[in-house]
Amino acid sequence: MADGHSFNNISLSGRGGTNPGLLKINSGGIQWKKQGGGKAVEVDESDIVGLSWMKVPRTNQLGVKTKDGLYYKFIGFRDQDVASLTSFFQSAFGKTPEEKQLSVSGRNWGEVDLNGNNLTFLVGGKQAFEVSLADVSQTQLQGKNDVLLEFHVDDTAGANEKDSLTEISFHIPNSNTQFVGDETRPPAQVLHDRIMAVADVGAGIEEAVVTFDGIAILTPRGRYSVELHLSFLRLQGQANDFKIQYSSVVRLFLLPKSNQPHTFVVISLDPPIRKGQTMYPHIVMQFETDSVVESELSISDDLLTTKFKDKLEPSYKGLIHEVFTTVLRGLSGAKITKPGKFRSSQDGFAVKSSLKAEDGVLYPLEKGFFFLPKPPTLILHDEIDNVEFERHVAGGANMHYFDLSIRLKTDHEHLFRNIQRNEYNNLYSFISSKGLKITNLGGAATAEGVAAVLQEDDDAVDPHLERIRNQAADESDEEDEDFVGGEDDDGGSPTDDSGGDDDDSDASDDGEGEKEKSITKEPKKETKSLPPKKKAVATEEGSSKKRKVKRKKDPNAPKKAMSGFMYFSQMERDNIKKTRPGLGFGDVAKVLGDKWRQMSAEEKEPYEAKAQVDKKRYEDQISDYKNPQPMLVDSENDSDSN
């Protein structure tokens, strides 16, 4: 790439295991996104304070340090990538990556290097291991020479790993020259104090910043007390207790429920938490929409003015779901997603549907779809290959509903069933505006499914939707219109035994002429109370079939003529969409119909003139189509063939 580089299968290393993803490096910074959606990392070029390369088993590792004290490790680079990226970093970022070496001697004595939020253990000048001090929950001085570090027990880190680091101990002898102390402060005390200053651990760290009691959580189901701490959140219930690091929080969703007094708050996690053998990538909370709370944060003024400046306030008063998401966003740094421009027919933010055997609501968001509450399913637009509107096969009341099928690029499919028919226009308009591929909007066979969804929707005429309906109906319409009886046509008289002279209902004393008249009128009488009788088709054996043989549509048949209103709609549809972008297809059709009815004959005249020209074209073409001219045969070729 001229302006940057792109790499597949680059893993982000962390406590939650290694996650492969796509890494992009350009002049603006570094972006990494996990494969299949989820966690994403964006580092602006101005935030990068250091870069480093390290040779690790079978590959190379890129270390990126930021001015916020964060340290990202990307693994999976080839040897040739190291040279090209080093040159790019020097020219684009003005930084030369540092070369580091990994110690493989296995010795457990060396030096400790504190750099930002990282503690690195060096053996012979080479790195043996490193840990992030942001994960330290407690540090204790044991005796005069030992420093014990305890790490957060993160339920998300244990979702993908059987073992997790919980504590580590360092022994610092009095002869240590790196951390020089005195008689009252031994070297171990110096290291302990420096770690405490960086890791922000202390006596009050276990105290929650704010607590929300009795919160209803739908997945994992139960009622929990939610505690928000400085570096993690805790869900404490009667049977379960979860502790989640903020580094595992990917995004927050604040989604009001349509026409109900509740609001969803969803916390998306990567890696997910685990309860038994079940993984929970989304924590779905349900708050009462009108509930008001007043909370004061248990946090020092120093932290408010330094670490959480412009992120948190000393106290909050407002709706409970807004206070919760505001405080959680300030502590975790996660972004909040709210409903976008989509509105349902009831002016809500979602449409009712069902996924698998569960009923719920589907939220069309600006960057994806989210089905709630169970199973919570997030589908990003980038993951979607195509979308298809499907009708119910059964008739009756089911015709008032349709299905929405979303197929992913991984060939996985999500089928959202039982969506009300009046939501079609809003969903179709929204999906089209996002540039998603809709598979059943081309061709007569696929258009038939969409036409079934739209039938009897309203009295207004929408030319765009009418064309979709006509595509499905062209086959049968042109078949009836183009059929012309020949000399052998029996005039529609029945050919089976029931239509003969022995039928009392057809017999008459008025003569043969009245008898023929009665026979020809009989099918009309039957259509009033019974289904229309199908014409019989004679077979080679002389027998007859009551089933009508369906003729295939001739692709050479001329295209039907358009009306004046159709020409008017083609000209005005885009103008109405630009001036009133919030209207759905049904509303646009009503506006077009009202404008056409209010137009005078002089205003309609240009469109009617186009319609007359198109009608003349169709009449000429259909005449030539039904009465083809005889072909001239070359006499010489004809005689040769004989």
Side-chain angles (χ1 to χ4, degrees):
M1 297 175 61
D3 186 42
H5 301 262
S6 180
F7 303 92
N8 290 316
N9 296 321
I10 298 297
S11 298
L12 175 66
S13 179
R15 294 192 70 207
T18 55
N19 300 309
L22 174 64
L23 179 69
K24 294 183 179 180
I25 303 176
N26 50 46
S27 58
I30 299 175
Q31 301 88 32
W32 179 87
K33 187 174 183 180
K34 181 182 177 182
Q35 291 180 356
K39 181 175 293 185
V41 173
E42 294 185 6
V43 183
D44 191 76
E45 182 272 334
S46 60
D47 294 334
I48 299 176
V49 296
L51 300 167
S52 63
W53 284 112
M54 177 182 292
K55 184 69 176 179
V56 296
R58 296 186 297 276
T59 185
N60 294 277
Q61 172 185 293
L62 172 64
V64 180
K65 292 183 180 180
T66 68
K67 63 182 181 180
D68 295 332
L70 300 177
Y71 185 52
Y72 299 102
K73 293 178 289 185
F74 301 101
I75 303 174
F77 296 95
R78 302 171 299 174
D79 293 339
Q80 54 266 38
D81 297 332
V82 175
S84 60
L85 282 178
T86 299
S87 177
F88 179 82
F89 289 143
Q90 292 173 344
S91 60
F93 296 169
K95 296 179 177 62
T96 301
E98 178 185 0
E99 294 287 342
K100 291 185 177 182
Q101 292 182 333
L102 182 66
S103 174
V104 293
S105 64
R107 297 191 320 188
N108 65 338
W109 64 89
E111 298 179 352
V112 172
D113 180 26
L114 294 177
N115 189 348
N117 274 356
N118 293 291
L119 184 151
T120 305
F121 189 76
L122 303 174
V123 176
K126 299 180 180 180
Q127 175 180 312
F129 65 87
E130 63 181 354
V131 294
S132 174
L133 296 180
D135 295 332
V136 175
S137 62
Q138 285 290 340
T139 174
Q140 299 178 12
L141 184 63
Q142 295 183 335
K144 294 183 178 181
N145 301 108
D146 293 337
V147 177
L148 178 66
L149 301 184
E150 295 181 5
F151 296 91
H152 290 294
V153 180
D154 187 2
D155 286 289
T156 58
N160 296 333
E161 298 178 344
K162 295 182 179 179
D163 300 321
S164 181
L165 178 64
T166 58
E167 67 178 39
I168 189 171
S169 179
F170 297 95
H171 176 79
I172 303 93
N174 292 332
S175 59
N176 183 276
T177 58
Q178 183 181 5
F179 304 100
V180 180
D182 51 32
E183 295 181 356
T184 59
R185 289 181 77 237
Q189 181 69 49
V190 177
L191 176 60
H192 174 268
D193 295 340
R194 291 186 59 179
I195 292 176
M196 286 189 60
V198 176
D200 282 335
V201 295
I205 188 63
E206 291 300 325
E207 182 182 357
V209 174
V210 64
T211 302
F212 298 86
D213 295 322
I215 302 301
I217 298 183
L218 305 182
T219 55
R221 191 170 184 83
R223 192 166 289 272
Y224 293 80
S225 175
V226 183
E227 299 177 357
L228 302 183
H229 294 256
L230 288 177
S231 58
F232 64 93
L233 68 90
R234 183 179 183 184
L235 307 179
Q236 189 173 9
Q238 293 182 351
N240 298 285
D241 192 352
F242 298 98
K243 192 175 183 180
I244 303 168
Q245 286 290 104
Y246 290 143
S247 57
S248 301
V249 178
V250 177
R251 184 171 290 272
L252 306 175
F253 293 87
L254 181 59
L255 305 174
K257 297 178 68 174
S258 302
N259 302 323
Q260 293 190 25
H262 296 98
T263 297
F264 287 128
V265 173
V266 185
I267 304 176
S268 294
L269 304 174
D270 189 7
I273 60 175
R274 179 173 60 189
K275 179 181 177 182
Q277 297 299 321
T278 305
M279 298 291 187
Y280 293 95
H282 305 285
I283 300 176
V284 182
M285 302 181 175
Q286 183 173 265
F287 292 89
E288 294 183 2
T289 304
D290 298 332
S291 179
V292 178
V293 295
E294 184 174 1
S295 302
E296 292 187 3
L297 305 186
S298 299
I299 189 171
S300 64
D301 295 337
D302 293 338
L303 286 177
L304 279 176
T305 55
T306 55
K307 186 176 181 180
F308 300 108
K309 184 180 180 181
D310 299 329
K311 296 181 180 179
L312 294 175
E313 298 178 1
S315 62
Y316 290 90
K317 182 179 180 180
L319 299 176
I320 184 171
H321 58 272
E322 294 180 352
V323 173
F324 177 83
T325 53
T326 301
V327 177
L328 182 55
R329 178 183 60 179
L331 292 171
S332 65
K335 297 180 180 179
I336 298 179
T337 297
K338 298 181 180 180
K341 299 179 181 179
F342 175 82
R343 295 295 182 272
S344 66
S345 60
Q346 305 296 327
D347 199 30
F349 302 105
V351 296
K352 292 182 179 180
S353 64
S354 59
L355 179 62
K356 299 179 180 178
E358 300 290 340
D359 293 333
V361 290
L362 179 65
Y363 288 87
L365 305 175
E366 293 302 312
K367 294 186 178 181
F369 295 89
F370 210 155
F371 178 83
L372 293 172
K374 186 179 181 180
T377 305
L378 176 62
I379 307 173
L380 300 179
H381 290 165
D382 296 339
E383 304 172 357
I384 297 176
D385 180 68
N386 61 76
V387 177
E388 182 175 355
F389 292 92
E390 300 179 358
R391 64 173 177 175
H392 282 285
V393 178
N398 285 335
M399 294 306 295
H400 295 288
Y401 301 90
F402 67 94
D403 302 338
L404 178 66
S405 174
I406 299 180
R407 296 185 181 90
L408 307 184
K409 296 177 181 178
T410 58
D411 293 334
H412 187 69
E413 180 179 357
H414 296 282
L415 181 61
F416 300 98
R417 300 177 58 84
N418 301 324
I419 304 176
Q420 292 185 356
R421 188 178 60 188
N422 57 6
E423 301 290 357
Y424 169 79
N425 290 332
N426 299 321
L427 274 176
Y428 173 79
S429 178
F430 176 82
I431 293 174
S432 300
S433 67
K434 297 303 176 184
L436 299 177
K437 179 182 177 182
I438 303 177
T439 57
N440 58 336
L441 283 185
T446 53
E448 184 178 0
V450 181
V453 175
L454 304 177
Q455 64 183 0
E456 300 179 1
D457 194 19
D458 49 41
D459 296 331
V461 179
D462 188 335
H464 174 74
L465 302 182
E466 282 296 322
R467 285 198 298 272
I468 297 177
R469 294 191 185 100
N470 291 337
Q471 286 178 0
D474 276 347
E475 186 174 77
S476 58
D477 289 345
E478 292 192 6
E479 179 181 337
D480 294 339
E481 179 179 328
D482 297 342
F483 179 79
V484 179
E487 295 178 356
D488 297 333
D489 186 26
D490 59 2
S493 58
T495 58
D496 56 359
D497 295 338
S498 62
D501 294 339
D502 296 336
D503 193 345
D504 294 337
S505 61
D506 292 337
S508 175
D509 297 335
D510 294 336
E512 184 177 355
E514 287 295 324
K515 181 178 181 180
E516 294 178 356
K517 183 177 179 180
S518 174
I519 293 176
T520 57
K521 286 186 177 182
E522 183 60 28
K524 292 185 178 179
K525 294 181 180 179
E526 291 180 356
T527 58
K528 294 181 180 179
S529 57
L530 297 174
K533 181 178 285 187
K534 297 181 179 179
K535 296 181 180 180
V537 179
T539 62
E540 294 178 357
E541 293 81 3
S543 61
S544 61
K545 291 185 178 181
K546 295 184 179 181
R547 182 178 178 182
K548 181 180 179 180
V549 178
K550 193 173 184 179
R551 295 173 54 186
K552 293 185 177 180
K553 178 182 177 181
D554 190 349
N556 298 322
K559 183 179 179 181
K560 289 186 177 181
M562 292 175 55
S563 65
F565 177 71
M566 296 285 282
Y567 280 106
F568 168 76
S569 300
Q570 284 185 343
M571 297 292 293
E572 290 295 321
R573 173 175 291 277
D574 291 339
N575 295 334
I576 293 177
K577 287 184 177 181
K578 291 179 181 179
T579 56
R580 304 174 68 178
L583 293 180
F585 276 98
D587 296 329
V588 172
K590 293 179 182 179
V591 173
L592 289 171
D594 293 339
K595 292 187 66 175
W596 178 256
R597 286 190 293 269
Q598 295 174 3
M599 291 172 59
S600 62
E602 296 178 355
E603 294 173 333
K604 295 181 180 179
E605 196 275 332
Y607 306 105
E608 296 292 357
K610 292 183 179 181
Q612 290 296 326
V613 173
D614 197 25
K615 181 180 180 182
K616 181 64 168 60
R617 184 270 310 165
Y618 175 76
E619 291 175 350
D620 294 340
Q621 292 180 354
I622 198 64
S623 176
D624 295 339
Y625 172 77
K626 294 179 179 180
N627 302 291
Q629 297 294 328
M631 298 179 59
L632 296 177
V633 180
D634 187 64
S635 60
E636 295 181 0
N637 294 337
D638 185 67
S639 61
D640 292 341
S641 63
N642 294 331

